[in-house]
Amino acid sequence: MRAAVVTAFGGPEVVEIVEVEVPEPGARQVRIKVAAAALNPVDAGVRAGVFGGAGKRLGLGWDVAGTVDAAGVATGWNVGDQVVALAYGPAKSLGTHADYVVVDADAVAAAPASVDVAHAATLPLNALTAVQALDLLGLAAGQSLVVTGAAGAVGGYGVQLAVHRGLSVTALARETDEELVRSLGAARFVPDAVAAGSVDGVLDAALLGETALEWVRDGGAFVGVIPGAQPASVRGVRTGAVEVAADGARLAELAALVDEGVLTLRVAETYALDEAAKAHARLAEGGLRGRLVLQP
């Protein structure tokens, strides 16, 4: 089968398409025939060496939508099932940017029925990151939340999931994205800042750090999206950062929210698997409102 990998760190030009053996699922694993796989900033980080792994072959891709092609024992999945999954890990030898991928059965969920595979492939990594970040924040219905980077993938899901939980959401994004983030359900929009100490929590998808921490009231909560990079606690504000975890049961809940119209899936452009390097170059250009998706 074909797989997108890197064997040296650098820019988009280091992404290679190689021929490798089709992986076999073990016990409590399934093999998915990939129909679509999103390209995320974390893939650019792997490519650039942010997560280490020098001298190794590193597979790219975390998100997948496709069809169960083979299943080990005790999986609960059948060949032919339409699924989505998160293949967690920055230093794996094969990722989802391939013709086939093997994942743990408990990382898999039935694909949302109301969208095509390209859109379904944008769900796992970013929506799980957003919902797990909201869990860390621990805010209750009626409390106030600022989501930074609200027009991005994690931020956009964060806005919609927070509104669904009954939070009062202020979205921070570029002025040109006001219509978009308001369409996601944000009650308020700001292009730059909010008053110091004025909100119960911040989901910091834009990596503003200490700047955004100042907006949280004493005793509130702040959660970032890069593990270990959150600012230190001040004024009794709880600070943390989400490290996404594969969770098929939670992913199934998110897929149901897609079918209920609660979550909006956004695809910017699609590319063939053989165009993976071209897709990385497009990602590096920025300005996307939605994910790039590879389709073998």
Side-chain angles (χ1 to χ4, degrees):
M1 72 169 193
R2 298 167 302 161
V5 304
V6 293
T7 55
F9 300 138
E13 71 281 354
V14 303
V15 178
E16 305 175 64
I17 303 297
V18 299
E19 292 285 335
V20 297
E21 292 293 322
V22 176
E24 294 296 330
R28 296 181 294 279
Q29 290 185 318
V30 298
R31 185 172 68 210
I32 299 171
K33 180 176 175 57
V34 179
L39 174 63
N40 289 282
V42 68
D43 296 305
V46 172
R47 186 199 74 218
V50 172
F51 304 100
K56 299 179 181 179
R57 184 190 74 188
L58 300 177
L60 300 169
W62 294 49
D63 289 311
V64 61
T67 306
V68 174
D69 167 75
V73 299
T75 68
W77 295 99
N78 299 309
V79 172
D81 287 342
Q82 304 295 307
V83 297
V84 290
L86 176 66
Y88 174 85
K92 49 190 182 277
S93 61
L94 291 172
T96 64
H97 295 170
D99 289 315
Y100 296 89
V101 65
V102 168
V103 297
D104 292 340
D106 60 6
V108 180
S114 58
V115 297
D116 61 26
V117 290
H119 285 81
T122 68
L123 181 69
L125 175 59
N126 295 290
L128 281 171
T129 299
V131 76
Q132 290 169 8
L134 289 171
D135 290 345
L136 280 178
L137 282 165
L139 301 181
Q143 289 192 287
S144 56
L145 173 71
V146 169
V147 178
T148 73
V154 173
Y157 288 135
V159 169
Q160 291 187 306
L161 290 166
V163 170
H164 186 63
R165 292 184 177 197
L167 300 180
S168 176
V169 178
T170 297
L172 185 143
R174 295 176 181 173
E175 289 185 1
T176 53
D177 289 319
E178 179 175 1
E179 182 178 352
L180 168 63
V181 297
R182 287 192 181 276
S183 75
L184 300 176
R188 283 166 296 280
F189 167 83
V190 291
D192 43 26
V194 300
S198 63
V199 294
D200 296 307
V202 166
L203 195 173
D204 185 26
L207 315 181
L208 300 184
E210 292 180 356
T211 296
L213 180 61
E214 294 179 1
W215 307 336
V216 183
R217 64 167 175 80
D218 294 1
F222 172 103
V223 168
V225 295
I226 296 183
Q230 70 271 20
S233 174
V234 293
R235 299 179 287 104
V237 176
R238 289 184 295 107
T239 63
V242 62
E243 180 167 2
V244 69
D247 185 336
R250 205 65 185 281
L251 185 54
E253 295 173 0
L254 293 166
L257 292 178
V258 173
D259 288 336
E260 292 169 19
V262 173
L263 291 181
T264 302
L265 308 183
R266 293 178 283 157
V267 172
E269 300 171 27
T270 60
Y271 292 82
L273 177 61
D274 291 339
E275 297 178 309
K278 182 179 177 181
H280 275 256
R282 176 65 187 92
L283 179 65
E285 291 173 5
L288 296 166
R289 289 299 173 259
R291 282 286 174 247
L292 303 175
V293 176
L294 300 178
Q295 295 193 270

